[in-house]
Amino acid sequence: MYVVVIGIVLGLLTGVSWGFYPIFAKKQKGTPDNWLLGSCYGMGISSFVILGIVACASPQALQDLNWMVFLLEVITGIAWTVTMIAQFSLIKLIGTAKGLSVANGGKTVMATLFSVFFLGTWLFNAQKIFGFAMIILIVLGVLLINHHNHRYHQRVVKHNKKLIKKTFSDKQTHITWFSNHKIWVYLAVLSFASIAFSQFPSMIDKLQVGSGGWTNPYFSGLIKYIPQAIGAFIGGVSIVYFRARFIFKDMRVFIARSTHRNIIDGFIYASGMICYLYSAFLLNNETNKEIIGGQGIDAGAGATAFALTNFANIVSAFGGIFILKEKFTKHELIYFIAGALVITGAAIMVTFTDSMPFLATWGKTQPIIKSSYIVYPYITP
């Protein structure tokens, strides 16, 4: 029983870590490029530290770092950087509280749809009905979060032109959400990029088990994190270099103080990822009593751990309000809190759709699609 408790605690710590991750980045000022580059520096450093720990503690575990694991996890890390530059840009535009909630909703929907249509999850009609209903709720939550009090701002325009000039210059708090095409572009980019990041780790577990399993399953999470962090470093440096060289034409981002301060942000993310991987592993061993192929992390445990990480939505949402002091009218705050709760609740429920026995028996429905893959969303802030 204590193993389950530890697994749950680690899952919640992941949510806290990933929830504070963008808040800490925003506190360091700077631009999305500073935030991403500093984080990638931190992840690159952490990957070598973890490599040294594994080499000292269990040298034989390094045998699992074959070309397949390395290549897929490097691609996963690169996909993470694409997701994060879009997410940071979204946060810069509409604020941390709104931006992260919208981004998590978009990533959950995209990863879930990919699993359903390409990997054959939700085999029963009842699962499809319930799952798509939760997706609709997530979309509704996004609409609630981005509700804009037009009457309030019209009154401000009428009574105080100086105030409205100051208010509307702050794009993070008062922006006409649906009229800005950049937000839709950022949301689309991070949602599609998150597919690789959300699905490859689960596929690696399947493929690794098929080839004989992990040499030391207790180090499997660290083994997968090492190439992922290297991929994030390569992707982050490449993206920031391209943007600095050809778009902003200013290379000072690589030596900026804000970039260096965000190295700590990379350590924060790394701690959350490692907690997530071990949360899934511990919950798998205790709740299922057996591991797929004898070792590794299975889909059910991944779903449980992922559901716990949705706590990051609440942390980032209220952190944006109380730590970053992002401003809302009373009317907007009510809609925002309702939307954040709806997105978090629906994301947890859609994660457990495959795990609910009553959905497999309700109405005596039969599987429509047969597949050997049962893959759950595996998503970060």
Side-chain angles (χ1 to χ4, degrees):
M1 182 62 185
Y2 72 93
V3 176
V4 171
V5 174
I6 295 175
I8 291 174
V9 170
L10 288 175
L12 293 175
L13 286 176
T14 303
V16 173
S17 173
W18 288 349
F20 275 110
Y21 171 65
I23 294 174
F24 183 85
K26 192 75 175 290
K27 290 286 286 184
Q28 305 309 310
K29 309 297 182 183
T31 67
D33 295 85
N34 296 124
W35 303 340
L36 177 65
L37 189 59
S39 298
C40 291
Y41 285 165
M43 291 177 65
I45 295 170
S46 67
S47 69
F48 287 102
V49 173
I50 291 174
L51 178 61
I53 293 173
V54 174
C56 294
S58 180
Q60 67 274 17
L62 294 175
Q63 298 174 10
D64 294 325
L65 198 58
N66 53 52
W67 69 268
M68 178 194 68
V69 173
F70 187 85
L71 179 61
L72 289 179
E73 284 293 355
V74 166
I75 295 174
T76 298
I78 294 173
W80 176 83
T81 60
V82 176
T83 300
M84 292 311 299
I85 191 63
Q87 182 168 298
F88 281 145
S89 299
L90 188 64
I91 288 172
K92 185 74 173 179
L93 196 61
I94 63 175
T96 303
K98 287 186 175 183
L100 196 62
S101 297
V102 171
N104 285 340
K107 288 184 287 187
T108 300
V109 170
M110 187 58 64
T112 302
L113 292 178
F114 181 84
S115 296
V116 172
F117 291 110
F118 293 96
L119 301 178
T121 57
W122 298 0
L123 305 181
F124 298 91
N125 290 331
Q127 291 175 331
K128 295 179 187 297
I129 294 171
F130 181 83
F132 283 118
M134 294 301 103
I135 289 177
I136 292 173
L137 281 180
I138 291 175
V139 175
L140 176 62
V142 171
L143 296 177
L144 287 172
I145 279 178
N146 292 283
H147 177 77
H148 189 69
N149 191 344
H150 294 284
R151 292 184 179 180
Y152 166 78
H153 297 299
Q154 288 172 356
R155 289 198 300 270
V156 175
V157 171
K158 184 176 180 180
H159 291 95
N160 194 330
K161 292 184 179 180
K162 291 184 179 180
L163 177 60
I164 194 59
K165 183 178 180 181
K166 180 180 178 181
T167 301
F168 275 91
S169 66
D170 183 5
K171 294 181 180 180
Q172 298 175 14
T173 54
H174 299 297
I175 186 169
T176 306
W177 196 76
F178 289 102
S179 66
N180 196 310
H181 67 281
K182 287 185 179 180
I183 297 176
W184 294 106
V185 173
Y186 294 147
L187 186 57
V189 169
L190 68 89
S191 297
F192 280 101
S194 68
I195 292 176
F197 187 77
S198 65
Q199 306 303 336
F200 278 14
S202 297
M203 292 181 180
I204 289 172
D205 282 312
K206 283 279 188 179
L207 295 173
Q208 190 70 11
V209 167
S211 62
W214 298 100
T215 302
N216 189 335
Y218 293 98
F219 284 89
S220 62
L222 297 180
I223 291 296
K224 288 190 294 183
Y225 173 76
I226 292 169
Q228 184 184 114
I230 294 173
F233 178 80
I234 295 172
V237 171
S238 301
I239 290 172
V240 173
Y241 177 82
F242 177 84
R243 285 163 61 91
R245 178 71 175 81
F246 299 105
I247 299 178
F248 302 114
K249 301 186 184 303
D250 185 357
M251 303 297 290
R252 289 177 296 178
V253 64
F254 285 92
I255 58 173
R257 184 176 298 177
S258 176
T259 298
H260 298 152
R261 286 200 297 260
N262 274 283
I263 291 177
I264 299 176
D265 214 24
F267 296 150
I268 293 175
Y269 171 79
S271 64
M273 174 56 71
I274 293 170
C275 284
Y276 173 84
L277 293 170
Y278 279 103
S279 171
F281 179 79
L282 292 174
L283 290 174
N284 173 68
N285 275 284
E286 182 66 17
T287 58
N288 297 298
K289 299 300 181 183
E290 61 182 61
I291 311 173
I292 292 180
Q295 302 174 65
I297 300 173
D298 79 335
T304 305
F306 171 73
L308 294 172
T309 64
N310 276 282
F311 185 58
N313 290 354
I314 302 299
V315 173
S316 61
F318 291 97
I321 296 173
F322 296 109
I323 298 177
L324 299 178
K325 307 297 182 183
E326 294 176 348
K327 297 179 181 178
F328 294 83
T329 67
K330 182 179 179 180
H331 185 76
E332 289 171 339
L333 184 60
I334 294 173
Y335 276 85
F336 169 76
I337 293 175
L341 293 176
V342 167
I343 288 177
T344 302
I348 292 173
M349 295 304 292
V350 79
T351 305
F352 281 118
T353 299
D354 262 318
S355 308
M356 296 180 179
F358 75 91
L359 292 178
T361 58
W362 176 47
K364 297 182 180 180
T365 54
Q366 296 296 323
I368 295 178
I369 303 174
K370 294 184 178 180
S371 172
S372 60
Y373 279 99
I374 303 294
V375 181
Y376 291 80
Y378 174 97
I379 302 175
T380 70

